[in-house]
Protein backbone atom coordinates (compact mmCIF):
# COMPACT_ATOMS: atom_id res chain seq x y z
CA UNK A 1 0.00 0.00 0.00
CA UNK A 2 1.28 3.44 -0.94
CA UNK A 3 0.02 6.68 0.57
CA UNK A 4 0.54 9.95 -1.28
CA UNK A 5 -0.14 13.08 0.74
CA UNK A 6 -0.53 16.57 -0.66
CA UNK A 7 -1.84 19.99 0.24
CA UNK A 8 0.54 21.25 2.87
CA UNK A 9 2.08 24.68 2.75
CA UNK A 10 2.22 28.02 4.46
CA UNK A 11 -0.78 29.71 6.06
CA UNK A 12 -1.32 32.64 8.33
CA UNK A 13 -2.83 32.22 11.75
CA UNK A 14 -6.57 32.03 11.41
CA UNK A 15 -6.30 30.70 7.89
CA UNK A 16 -7.20 27.36 6.34
CA UNK A 17 -5.52 24.50 4.54
CA UNK A 18 -6.76 21.21 3.11
CA UNK A 19 -4.69 18.05 3.09
CA UNK A 20 -5.36 15.03 0.90
CA UNK A 21 -3.94 11.51 1.02
CA UNK A 22 -4.60 8.93 -1.67
CA UNK A 23 -4.02 5.25 -1.02
CA UNK A 24 -3.09 2.81 -3.77
CA UNK A 25 -1.98 -0.78 -4.06
CA UNK A 26 -3.31 -3.79 -2.16
CA UNK A 27 -5.85 -1.87 -0.10
CA UNK A 28 -8.16 -3.45 2.44
CA UNK A 29 -11.27 -1.31 2.14
CA UNK A 30 -12.14 -1.48 5.84
CA UNK A 31 -8.86 0.21 6.69
CA UNK A 32 -8.89 3.05 9.16
CA UNK A 33 -7.31 6.20 7.72
CA UNK A 34 -5.94 9.05 9.70
CA UNK A 35 -3.66 12.01 10.08
CA UNK A 36 -0.83 12.41 12.54
CA UNK A 37 1.64 15.23 12.98
CA UNK A 38 5.13 15.74 14.31
CA UNK A 39 6.56 19.08 15.29
CA UNK A 40 10.34 19.60 15.60
CA UNK A 41 11.63 17.98 18.75
CA UNK A 42 8.27 16.43 19.53
CA UNK A 43 6.81 12.96 19.24
CA UNK A 44 4.37 12.11 16.49
CA UNK A 45 0.82 12.61 17.69
CA UNK A 46 -2.67 11.74 16.57
CA UNK A 47 -4.65 14.46 14.81
CA UNK A 48 -7.72 12.59 13.57
CA UNK A 49 -8.86 9.20 12.30
CA UNK A 50 -11.84 7.96 10.35
CA UNK A 51 -13.17 4.45 9.81
CA UNK A 52 -14.57 3.14 6.54
CA UNK A 53 -18.02 3.67 8.03
CA UNK A 54 -17.31 7.32 8.81
CA UNK A 55 -16.71 7.20 12.54
CA UNK A 56 -14.25 9.93 13.47
CA UNK A 57 -11.88 10.57 16.33
CA UNK A 58 -10.03 13.84 16.98
CA UNK A 59 -7.31 15.12 19.24
CA UNK A 60 -8.78 17.58 21.72
CA UNK A 61 -6.53 20.35 20.38
CA UNK A 62 -8.10 20.24 16.91
CA UNK A 63 -11.62 18.88 17.48
CA UNK A 64 -13.38 22.21 16.95
CA UNK A 65 -11.19 23.36 14.04
CA UNK A 66 -10.30 20.37 11.86
CA UNK A 67 -12.55 18.03 9.91
CA UNK A 68 -11.51 14.63 8.61
CA UNK A 69 -13.40 12.94 5.78
CA UNK A 70 -12.82 10.17 3.28
CA UNK A 71 -13.93 9.06 -0.16
CA UNK A 72 -13.99 5.29 -0.10
CA UNK A 73 -14.35 5.01 -3.87
CA UNK A 74 -11.14 6.98 -4.33
CA UNK A 75 -9.41 5.54 -1.24
CA UNK A 76 -8.63 9.10 -0.25
CA UNK A 77 -8.72 10.82 3.13
CA UNK A 78 -8.94 14.57 3.62
CA UNK A 79 -8.20 16.94 6.46
CA UNK A 80 -9.82 20.36 6.40
CA UNK A 81 -7.94 22.63 8.78
CA UNK A 82 -9.50 25.92 9.82
CA UNK A 83 -8.63 28.62 12.34
CA UNK A 84 -5.02 27.51 12.11
CA UNK A 85 -2.65 28.38 14.92
CA UNK A 86 1.15 28.59 14.94
CA UNK A 87 1.18 25.53 17.18
CA UNK A 88 -0.34 23.53 14.31
CA UNK A 89 2.99 23.84 12.51
CA UNK A 90 4.31 20.32 11.91
CA UNK A 91 4.88 17.64 9.35
CA UNK A 92 1.55 15.92 8.79
CA UNK A 93 1.52 12.21 7.99
CA UNK A 94 -1.36 10.12 6.75
CA UNK A 95 -1.76 6.56 7.93
CA UNK A 96 -3.78 3.54 6.86
CA UNK A 97 -4.13 0.61 9.22
CA UNK A 98 -6.39 -2.11 10.55
CA UNK A 99 -7.34 -1.93 14.19
CA UNK A 100 -5.83 -4.89 16.01
CA UNK A 101 -3.78 -5.89 12.98
CA UNK A 102 -1.10 -3.23 12.78
CA UNK A 103 1.60 -5.90 12.73
CA UNK A 104 0.72 -6.71 9.13
CA UNK A 105 -1.33 -3.73 7.88
CA UNK A 106 0.05 -0.39 8.94
CA UNK A 107 1.21 2.13 6.36
CA UNK A 108 2.44 5.72 6.49
CA UNK A 109 2.66 8.42 3.89
CA UNK A 110 5.74 10.52 3.29
CA UNK A 111 4.57 13.57 5.23
CA UNK A 112 3.64 17.05 4.15
CA UNK A 113 4.81 20.23 5.87
CA UNK A 114 2.28 22.65 7.33
CA UNK A 115 3.63 25.97 8.55
CA UNK A 116 1.41 28.54 10.26
CA UNK A 117 2.80 32.01 10.74
CA UNK A 118 1.62 34.35 13.46
Amino acid sequence: VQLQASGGGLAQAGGSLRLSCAASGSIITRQIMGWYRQAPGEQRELVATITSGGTTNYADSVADRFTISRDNRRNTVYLEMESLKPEDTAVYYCRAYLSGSTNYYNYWGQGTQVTVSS
Side-chain angles (χ1 to χ4, degrees):
V1 176
Q2 295 79 44
L3 300 173
Q4 182 66 48
S6 60
L10 178 64
Q12 291 189 332
S16 302
L17 284 173
R18 186 189 196 216
L19 305 182
S20 300
C21 177
S24 61
S26 301
I27 297 165
I28 297 177
T29 54
R30 60 185 174 87
Q31 64 186 3
I32 297 170
M33 300 188 78
W35 291 95
Y36 294 69
R37 66 187 182 187
Q38 187 168 18
E42 302 290 335
Q43 290 189 336
R44 191 172 298 186
E45 63 177 6
L46 168 74
V47 176
T49 61
I50 185 167
T51 69
S52 58
T55 300
T56 58
N57 179 49
Y58 293 93
D60 290 343
S61 60
V62 307
D64 59 347
R65 301 182 294 120
F66 292 7
T67 302
I68 190 170
S69 62
R70 66 190 280 171
D71 183 336
N72 290 329
R73 289 184 303 172
R74 292 183 170 86
N75 297 309
T76 300
V77 63
Y78 306 96
L79 186 68
E80 298 277 358
M81 304 184 292
E82 299 178 342
S83 302
L84 284 163
K85 303 175 180 180
E87 51 263 44
D88 294 319
T89 295
V91 178
Y92 283 68
Y93 297 90
C94 62
R95 181 190 184 197
Y97 67 99
L98 292 180
S99 179
S101 301
T102 55
N103 57 326
Y104 76 88
Y105 195 95
N106 184 24
Y107 300 95
W108 293 89
Q110 83 282 12
T112 184
Q113 177 70 46
V114 171
T115 302
V116 183
S117 62
S118 58

